[in-house]
Amino acid sequence: MSRLLALHSSALLYAFVAAGAAIGGVGRALVSQAAIELAGYGFPWGTLIVNVVGSFVIGFYATLTEPGGRFTVSARMRQFVMTGICGGFTTFSVFSLETFHLLSARHWSLAGVNIGFSILTWMLAVWTGAVLAESLNRLRGDRSATSSMEEETMDMDMPRNAQALRIFIGEDDQNQGRPLYEAIVLKAREMHLAGATVSRGALGYGHSSRLHTTKVLRLSEDLPLVVEIVDSEEKIAAFLPELDRLMTSGLVTIETVRVLQYGQTPAREFD
């Protein structure tokens, strides 16, 4: 059964990539045709434009959705955009062929301009996209996966000697049609635990020994997530039965921590 689920997940991932590649490929054809109609065949403007735009998009999107980025998206969505759409939209092979044709026709200057200007603009575009996304990542505001949840004021005390509950799961794990990490955070909030944080891993593996990574060329479909909750020993103990009902697999650890600050006032000593 687990192997069938893994095959289904992989097939779904490749379907996302294929759909993105179809969109990107059609987009590239439209841009290239428009460039030929507007500028003619003298210089490969269409290829230059799609590669510059694609470089900007992949730099922007990768930085915005990387671990610690402003938005948390699934691995399938990252592959849909970066490997699929950007991969289908951009083209190095056509760039190579067009440059070869310029050289064969002894248009040395045009070939040199095409090579130098293309590489320069591609790198500038991906750098610009990454810098712009990083500036958005640094903006104030909730960047977690639960940022859309309605704010609610809770009057809670945090003991200085508390417990940290860490829950290691995959981002594809579900609970009744909802992402498991979201279900855990909502349940913790419902039970008035002091706070919960969802962190996304860039690389990891679990009991299956399969590597899960955000690297574009490694098609991971289930990136590692860690949900961290800190509160008193009593509240953590009361939360564990609810957590057990939510989870079907994963790793849970508990350790004692010393809280130095909570909210606007220092944590209190509790007897």
Side-chain angles (χ1 to χ4, degrees):
M1 178 62 70
S2 60
R3 182 167 178 79
L4 287 176
L5 290 175
L7 288 174
H8 175 267
S9 183
S10 295
L12 193 58
L13 173 67
Y14 288 115
F16 269 68
V17 173
I23 294 171
V26 171
R28 171 160 56 89
L30 292 174
V31 172
S32 298
Q33 186 61 37
I36 290 173
E37 292 179 359
L38 292 174
Y41 290 91
F43 186 82
W45 289 107
T47 302
L48 177 65
I49 291 171
V50 296
N51 284 338
V52 169
V53 173
S55 296
F56 173 83
V57 171
I58 199 170
F60 180 81
Y61 187 81
T63 304
L64 203 64
T65 60
E66 67 185 2
R70 190 165 188 83
F71 296 106
T72 299
V73 299
S74 69
R76 293 192 188 108
M77 185 56 63
R78 281 173 62 87
Q79 296 297 344
F80 170 74
V81 174
M82 294 192 293
T83 305
I85 294 179
C86 292
F89 188 69
T90 59
T91 172
F92 187 81
S93 57
V94 174
F95 161 76
S96 302
L97 181 62
E98 290 170 338
T99 303
F100 174 75
H101 285 164
L102 290 173
L103 292 171
S104 298
R106 299 182 181 276
H107 297 313
W108 313 115
S109 58
L110 279 179
V113 169
N114 189 37
I115 294 172
F117 190 64
S118 293
I119 294 175
L120 176 64
T121 52
W122 298 346
M123 296 307 299
L124 182 61
V126 73
W127 176 80
T128 302
V131 169
L132 179 59
E134 185 58 38
S135 66
L136 293 176
N137 288 343
R138 288 195 295 265
L139 290 178
R140 297 182 63 184
D142 188 359
R143 300 189 301 177
S144 69
T146 56
S147 59
S148 61
M149 296 180 187
E150 181 182 356
E151 291 295 328
E152 178 179 313
T153 301
M154 299 182 183
D155 184 16
M156 294 179 290
D157 287 320
M158 172 69 76
R160 186 174 295 277
N161 294 313
Q163 285 191 335
L165 176 67
R166 289 190 178 89
I167 307 156
F168 299 82
I169 56 177
E171 70 172 350
D172 273 358
D173 291 342
Q174 300 281 312
N175 177 265
Q176 298 182 351
R178 166 181 285 169
L180 178 57
Y181 66 85
E182 185 176 315
I184 292 172
V185 172
L186 287 173
K187 177 57 68 173
R189 190 166 180 264
E190 177 187 319
M191 296 181 66
H192 296 272
L193 272 73
T197 300
V198 180
S199 302
R200 186 184 189 197
L203 179 67
Y205 72 91
H207 62 86
S208 67
S209 296
R210 293 178 59 196
L211 279 175
H212 306 282
T213 173
T214 57
K215 291 183 178 179
V216 178
L217 297 181
R218 287 183 178 267
L219 298 184
S220 299
E221 64 270 13
D222 189 19
L223 296 177
L225 294 178
V226 181
V227 183
E228 296 185 83
I229 301 172
V230 178
D231 211 314
S232 66
E233 181 179 355
E234 293 76 14
K235 285 192 173 183
I236 294 294
F239 181 70
L240 289 178
E242 298 297 329
L243 179 63
D244 187 58
R245 280 189 278 271
L246 292 173
M247 295 181 60
T248 56
S249 65
L251 174 68
V252 177
T253 65
I254 298 177
E255 61 184 272
T256 301
V257 295
R258 184 171 177 82
V259 179
L260 300 180
Q261 185 78 20
Y262 178 67
Q264 300 299 318
T265 58
R268 301 180 184 179
E269 295 282 2
F270 282 78
D271 295 330

